[in-house]
Every structure is written in C-alpha cells, then in structure tokens.
Amino acid sequence: MNLRYINMDLDRENYGNKYGYKFFLNTRFISNYLSKAIRKFKFATDGTFNMISIRVSDELVEPKIVPFDVLAVGVLFDKECYELMRKTENCSYYLELLEEGFRKASKFKEIPLKTLLNLIDEFKSGGCKNEWLHKRKKFKEQDLEVALNCEFTTNHFQLVATISQISTEKELIKGIVLRTEPDEVLYDKMFKDILIEKNKIVITDASDSPRIIINEEDALNGILKFEIRGDKEIKDILSYGLT
C-alpha cells in the first residue's frame, strides 16, 4: 500500500459542518497539490494507511489509524489566525499546520518526512500555485490551437481557455470558461476533450457530452463567448463567481 493522499480538515463537531467545510475548501488546493506530488515517489507504507489526514482542532489528539486506511494526526487550531487570512491568498498558516502534522506523524509511523517537507518548500518557492495544463490540441483545418489550463487556489478552481492561431502563433483570446468552489468533487469529470463541430469549439465532459460551447467566429475576432450546458444546478456550480 502506497501513500497516495494528503488531507486536512477542521473538527466539525466543535465548529459545525458549514465552518468546517469552508476551512476544507480553503486548504484543499494544497492537499490536492501534495497528494499528486507524493504519488510520484511511490512510498510504500506499512500497509495500515494510504492517507495522512491532518485533523485541526481545539483538542490535541494523538496520531492513530482510523477507517479507512487513514493515518490521522491532530494539531491545534488558531481561529484568530485563520480568520485573518481565510479571505486572502495567503496560505502560510495552512502550510505550518501541515508541517507540524507531518512531523508528529513521523514519530508514530514511518513516513517520507523529508520528501513531504521538501514538497512544501517547492510549493512555497513556486508561489504557492497549483496549476497545470489539462489539454492542448491543434486543429489544422481551422488554423486554431486550443489549450485548457487549470488553476486551483484557496478561493476557487477555474478552467482557462486559450485560443491561438497556428499560422501566426497569435493568441486570439484567453479567459475563464468554468469556475467552481475549490473542491475536486465539483469540477471532476466536467471537462475532458476539445472538439470543433459546426463552427463551435466544444469542451466535452467525462461522458463525452458537450459541456462548454465556445463561438468560433467570435473567438477569431478576439471575443470570448461561451455557453455552459446542463441544468440550473450544474450551471450554478460551474459558473461560481463568474456572474
């Protein structure tokens, strides 16, 4: 069993689900970054856990294994510190909690402590950004290249589309076509491939159904116009903060 997941959450019994979920959202972009990064090292645990979960609370709980395959580690919560930074892009307090949790976990179980601390340092040196290219695709017949980039922050996740002309290498448009709260559950499976059909640039979802439709003619004129397909609930989720 390899270490595959890093998680951090607030004690919801004492702080309530709504407040706890907000803390979870604010820290999720870091957990996502570290989870993806640690998997590359294929660290084999002792078989009792594949996740390290940092439990932030007013009461210090000793490290233990909990269902399912989770090494849970308790660290103390500083509500005042959290409140000062939770509406900003500053994530230093979250990283301090993670580092403290990792150090405590290493005294209970063998974990790749040095690697985890190095990953935190790399995250800091990279500007605390969790960004990646989802897909880049060229359409020679239309003389277009479309790229989809993901930006996962403490306040939101967003998908940025960049459309360029191949022959001139000129960027025609660049803009946000999807934005959700910062939780993978909300955006996962909402975008997959890029197609061009009937003068429309189509971003499909995991089921290969059209999810985002971009007007090709407008794009050629440097205008970003798009439509999100789905019921009202889906549209509201995928346009978080855009309207």
Side-chain angles (χ1 to χ4, degrees), residues 149-160:
N149 285 277
C150 300
E151 298 176 356
F152 199 169
T153 77
T154 188
N155 292 312
H156 57 253
F157 168 87
Q158 58 189 26
L159 185 69
V160 179

Side-chain angles (χ1 to χ4, degrees), residues 13 23 25 45 69 75 95 100 107 127 129 149 156-157 166 182 200 204 207 211 221 227 232:
E13 288 187 13
F23 179 90
L25 291 178
T45 71
D69 305 324
V75 296
L95 298 176
E100 180 184 352
K107 296 177 181 178
K129 293 182 179 180
N149 285 277
H156 57 253
F157 168 87
I166 298 173
K200 303 290 184 183
T204 64
S207 67
R211 180 60 67 187
N221 291 312
E227 171 194 356
K232 184 179 185 304

